Amino acid sequence: MGLSRMVSRWSVVIAWGAGCVPPEGLATFGEVDGTDLLVGSPASAFPERVRLRSGARARLLPDGALLPGAPVSPGRRPLDPLVVVDPGPRPRIALTSWDVQVLLYLDRGDLQPYVVGTGVGSGASGQGRVQLEPGTPVEILERSTDRILVGLEEPGLELRAWFPSGVADEVYRDEELQTQLRLEEPEGTAMYLLGDTEVLDSPHGEPLLWARGDPDRPWGAVVVTGEPVRGFRPIVLERSSLYVEGWAHVDDLRFDAGYDFGSLGLPRRSSSIRCGGVVGLPPACAIVPEGTLLRTEPDGPVVGQTLGVIQVSRDAWFEGVSLIRQTQLGMVQLWVGPEDVVDLEVDRPHCR
């Protein structure tokens, strides 16, 4: 088979696997060629990280097709944080699969957002006060020019509050998740909030927090910090990752828990497939050297590199070869041009 026909055939195969993307569609994602992002130790070179949700998928090109293969499953052990080499609109990660390193794009909707800074949130009417501990996993429910609507759900609790946009993100640095909130001890009267009630951002205002539970039983401890205003009293609610200043209806507050609830009081503070040689057969006549740059297709952008010597058929010296690897996020096809294949037939007269 001639070289031109082989190039055409592999172009079709790889376009099916990676997705055909017009050049103008890639412009918004910056430099797609990843040569400068391929390093020996990505974890040391790049500080940003992401964590995947269940069902997450990846792409070889920013606007390409999703990689074939099973998505991240909730039944599997969660993947460790992944190294981000480019935190753009579709964050790009470096992933190692046995003998290759490949750069993949992720959709932000498949990533777990975290609180990555300190800031004060409020209710829909701009009142109330909410602070979240950095490192708290949250949901980003809505975005505006300079604000985000953040959601938090824990057992028996649901929160919705608006924060400055920099408070939470899907891409984080480890040190951003280590800061501890420094809050003053609230002054007031300890009381108990009933279950199935709301904490508002102002008297008769908008809900900030929902206390889930039995409406006839105390939900948890709060501090009442002032006198009633139109049937509502100002309160402070705290737990390890959350601080809320809001308003609770007087009928939803009790001085005595009435039960021994103990913990009800809120405290203060990859497998891979290797396509190499087969044991018992003569050594290969051709290899792809360690450090060879890998492309999506002939003349396509660089998206990976070899991490060791890979044995290939001698036909690759004439025609090039496609390397197929199964990663944690799906199957990738990577192109090696004939110019990058080393012929060893002279040194190995009995090779295959």
Side-chain angles (χ1 to χ4, degrees), residues 122-196:
S122 63
S125 64
Q127 302 182 73
R129 179 183 176 88
V130 180
Q131 288 183 267
L132 293 172
E133 185 77 27
T136 303
V138 295
E139 299 294 325
I140 300 177
L141 304 174
E142 189 175 334
R143 300 178 189 266
S144 66
T145 304
D146 57 356
R147 297 195 307 163
I148 54 175
L149 179 61
V150 169
L152 172 66
E153 292 191 25
E154 296 182 355
L157 178 153
E158 183 179 349
L159 172 78
R160 297 288 185 271
W162 286 93
F163 282 87
S165 58
V167 165
D169 199 356
E170 295 89 355
V171 181
Y172 65 89
R173 298 186 179 210
D174 288 335
E175 61 268 22
E176 292 176 331
L177 308 189
Q178 306 305 318
T179 305
Q180 299 295 312
L181 291 179
R182 299 291 184 261
L183 301 173
E184 296 182 2
E185 190 75 31
E187 296 183 0
T189 304
M191 297 188 72
Y192 290 89
L193 185 68
L194 294 179
D196 196 28

Side-chain angles (χ1 to χ4, degrees), residues 8-29:
S8 175
R9 179 168 67 89
W10 282 117
S11 297
V12 171
V13 171
I14 296 174
W16 171 83
C20 298
V21 186
E24 61 272 19
L26 301 178
T28 58
F29 292 93

